[in-house]
Amino acid sequence: MGLLSRKVTCNSHGQDSSYFLGWLEYEKNPYDEVKNPRGIIQMGLAENQLSFDLLESWLDKNPDVAGFKRDGQSIFKELALFQDYHGFPAFKKALLDFMAEIRGNKVTFDPNRIVLTAGATSANETLMFCLAEQGDAFLLPTPYYPGFDRDLRWRTGVEIVPIKCTSSNRFKITASALEDAYQRAQRKNLRVKGVLVTNPSNPLGTTMTREELDLLVNFITDKEIHLISDEIYSGTVFSSPAFVSIMEVLKDQNLEKTEIWERVHIVYSLSKDLGLPGFRVGAIYSNDPIVVAAATKMSSFGLVSSQTQYLLSAILSDKKFTKEYIAKNHKRLRKRRSMLVAGLEKAGIDCLESNAGLFCWVDMRHLLSSDTFEAEMELWKRIVYDVKLNISPGSSCHCTEPGWFRVCFANMSEDTLKLAMQRLKSFVGSITGHDRSHQELKNSRRKFRSKWVFRLSFQSFHDREQDER
């Protein structure tokens, strides 16, 4: 082992998280309606498979683009040869126009400030390399996407300090939670370089309020640190309130061309909004020219292929298509979420009210044998191995309260989702007693929530008392 690097042998990748372990169990026994009807249904994958027919229809109507032709002539050789890592100007413009369209054209984007990357994973890691040194810290509100433990920390050596958010206010960021995270980092002798948020949130499926965004801008101004807004789910907002980009907030506060303007960075991707994770298209948008220059050089290690850029520039440049796609995709996401919520309700399970994303943040606290993360893992294992549904436990998202789970709804057919809900309803009935009425289950959930509000209030008082000591 002495011949290998410490990076090879370290255990900071996060692969042993229950988030990834659930995927491994699914891969051993994947559900198939015909070949394996008793297999595990994948509800841990945030993938948008609801609108592929729209993309395939566009390709059928534009065979030259799909065949890598221009005006009937093959451009295969042109695309196959070496391309500059700055990316195709046509694609960068089309991507930025699409981003602006999603944001209601309330903000515009400069093609000189975008860096193309091989997905959002690469974009986030590249920003860590640009903004922080090994041992520095970024603050992240909980619950957060489990993959960030890998994306932000593994190769960069950057530390994550959680901003502890709770269900008492629907997991919204507060000034006290931000300051608490900052002070905890200080006590650990960690230099805080910034805050990273996902908006809309993964795993909550909610958009950040303007009050939260204003709070973040004020916080990074006061602390003189960076803000990264991961907005890869911005095109999945299917109901009100509308999505507000951090760039819109900066514009409204007249912060353009200020120091704060240069300390705010956006991460974007087509993996969720267009459902194309396999195409590996991500982007960094930064107002700091030094960050843009450095990130562009780093992008050599994860470029977007010329063929992908050519194909997507043609699709995204078709304004009639993008307008139709966004509208229909929103409608389908809204309908599919309603199906999941209705199925959960029949099983006596609630979820956080949401308006975006490809998942719901599901409340199963009343099904725990005790108010502990050990009990959460026991419940999760039963759901994976007995019910045969792969869902993501809240602890994998660093949630501060046991009993919450992320459940995805857009990566399967309606029939598969119905089957998943039937399995879950049967399981809940088996552990709560078949004789319990739906009203009794609702009362049980209500009682559990009340107990958590008291517990969180007491904990908050205790934490303040400890700090004063």
Side-chain angles (χ1 to χ4, degrees):
M1 295 297 286
L3 295 176
L4 301 178
S5 72
R6 283 180 293 176
K7 190 65 65 183
V8 169
T9 56
C10 76
N11 193 33
S12 61
H13 180 277
Q15 195 72 34
D16 56 351
S17 162
S18 51
Y19 172 74
F20 292 111
L21 294 178
W23 282 27
L24 292 175
E25 292 306 313
Y26 163 76
E27 290 170 359
K28 294 176 187 175
N29 184 26
Y31 167 81
D32 183 272
E33 184 179 1
V34 177
K35 297 178 181 179
N36 190 21
R38 297 181 182 275
I40 296 175
I41 296 174
Q42 174 63 290
M43 305 187 83
L45 177 61
E47 201 168 64
N48 184 4
Q49 298 184 19
L50 302 186
S51 298
F52 272 124
D53 62 306
L54 303 179
L55 291 165
E56 289 170 338
S57 175
W58 189 93
L59 291 171
D60 287 341
K61 296 173 184 176
N62 297 271
D64 269 13
V65 176
F68 301 121
K69 293 181 179 180
R70 186 189 298 126
D71 300 324
Q73 301 296 313
S74 174
I75 57 170
F76 177 80
K77 180 179 179 180
E78 177 185 330
L79 295 174
L81 296 177
F82 175 79
Q83 300 290 343
D84 188 275
Y85 57 35
H86 289 86
F88 287 3
F91 174 60
K92 291 164 75 172
K93 181 181 184 305
L95 180 62
L96 291 175
D97 286 348
F98 184 64
M99 289 172 62
E101 184 177 8
I102 287 171
R103 289 153 181 76
N105 292 307
K106 294 178 181 178
V107 291
T108 56
F109 297 97
D110 182 349
N112 294 316
R113 296 173 181 170
I114 189 174
V115 179
L116 300 179
T117 63
T121 294
S122 176
N124 278 309
E125 185 188 55
T126 297
L127 277 175
M128 290 298 108
F129 277 122
C130 289
L131 306 180
E133 303 286 355
Q134 181 173 336
D136 289 344
F138 261 76
L139 311 181
L140 272 68
T142 63
Y144 63 77
Y145 166 54
F148 280 150
D149 291 321
R150 169 201 63 201
D151 303 350
L152 308 182
R153 297 174 57 226
W154 185 40
R155 297 198 299 185
T156 66
V158 171
E159 298 292 334
I160 294 175
V161 177
I163 303 166
K164 296 179 180 179
C165 302
T166 68
S167 62
S168 61
N169 70 341
R170 300 182 66 248
F171 298 98
K172 291 180 180 177
I173 299 173
T174 64
S176 59
L178 277 169
E179 187 60 33
D180 173 68
Y182 188 86
Q183 293 303 325
R184 278 187 284 111
Q186 296 283 293
R187 289 194 292 270
K188 293 179 180 178
N189 293 318
L190 296 174
R191 181 173 59 167
V192 176
K193 296 303 294 288
V195 179
L196 186 150
V197 297
T198 57
N199 183 30
S201 168
N202 176 11
L204 300 178
T206 57
T207 48
M208 295 184 72
T209 64
R210 190 172 282 270
E211 289 74 21
E212 288 177 281
L213 294 168
D214 286 339
L215 176 64
L216 286 169
V217 171
N218 293 337
F219 183 77
I220 68 161
T221 302
D222 179 54
K223 304 298 185 184
E224 297 184 341
I225 57 178
H226 294 274
L227 173 61
I228 299 174
S229 182
D230 185 325
E231 300 183 356
I232 69 171
Y233 287 95
S234 54
T236 69
V237 181
F238 48 78
S239 62
S240 60
F243 171 70
V244 179
S245 172
I246 190 63
M247 285 300 174
E248 185 179 341
V249 174
L250 295 177
K251 182 180 177 183
D252 290 348
Q253 292 190 19
N254 297 314
L255 294 173
E256 295 167 294
K257 298 181 181 179
T258 65
E259 286 187 16
I260 301 160
W261 178 252
E262 293 191 351
R263 295 206 304 270
V264 175
H265 321 274
I266 288 179
V267 168
Y268 187 62
S269 164
L270 294 178
S271 296
K272 312 303 180 182
D273 291 354
L274 275 188
L276 300 175
F279 277 40
R280 308 311 303 148
V281 178
I284 295 168
Y285 188 86
S286 176
N287 294 309
D288 186 334
I290 298 176
V291 170
V292 171
T296 300
K297 295 171 187 174
M298 291 183 189
S299 71
S300 296
F301 300 100
L303 298 173
V304 181
S305 76
S306 301
Q307 293 85 349
T308 298
Q309 291 187 59
Y310 172 72
L311 174 62
L312 292 178
S313 65
I315 294 175
L316 296 179
S317 295
D318 187 338
K319 301 306 179 186
K320 181 180 178 181
F321 170 76
T322 56
K323 183 178 180 179
E324 175 188 338
Y325 178 92
I326 291 170
K328 288 186 175 180
N329 189 50
H330 287 175
K331 185 176 180 180
R332 294 176 183 187
L333 287 171
R334 183 165 55 248
K335 178 184 176 183
R336 185 56 66 85
R337 179 194 178 274
S338 296
M339 283 185 62
L340 175 62
V341 172
L344 291 169
E345 184 69 20
K346 289 178 181 178
I349 298 172
D350 283 337
C351 61
L352 187 73
E353 185 178 351
S354 59
N355 65 321
L358 311 174
F359 34 72
C360 284
W361 189 237
V362 178
D363 184 0
M364 298 192 192
R365 288 175 293 175
H366 61 296
L367 301 179
L368 299 181
S369 58
S370 63
D371 302 343
T372 63
F373 286 109
E374 289 76 15
E376 177 183 279
M377 291 308 296
E378 290 172 9
L379 178 61
W380 174 72
K381 288 176 182 177
R382 293 189 66 182
I383 292 173
V384 172
Y385 294 107
D386 299 339
V387 189
K388 291 187 168 52
L389 303 177
N390 176 39
I391 62 177
S392 305
S395 54
S396 70
C397 303
H398 301 271
C399 185
T400 58
E401 306 169 14
W404 291 89
F405 294 81
R406 192 191 74 167
V407 180
C408 299
F409 56 73
N411 63 319
M412 67 196 76
S413 68
E414 287 189 7
D415 288 342
T416 302
L417 180 58
K418 289 176 182 176
L419 175 60
M421 293 299 97
Q422 290 169 6
R423 289 183 182 183
L424 188 59
K425 182 181 178 183
S426 297
F427 170 69
V428 173
S430 71
I431 65 173
T432 59
H434 293 284
D435 58 335
R436 294 184 68 184
S437 68
H438 179 67
Q439 187 60 44
E440 285 178 311
L441 281 173
K442 290 184 74 174
N443 291 339
S444 172
R445 296 199 302 270
R446 221 175 269 125
K447 180 180 178 182
F448 205 95
R449 283 196 295 269
S450 297
K451 184 166 65 173
W452 261 103
V453 170
F454 171 78
R455 180 173 168 181
L456 289 167
S457 298
F458 176 80
Q459 185 64 44
S460 177
F461 171 78
H462 176 72
D463 289 345
R464 287 198 303 271
E465 196 176 46
Q466 290 296 101
D467 286 341
E468 288 170 2
R469 290 175 187 172

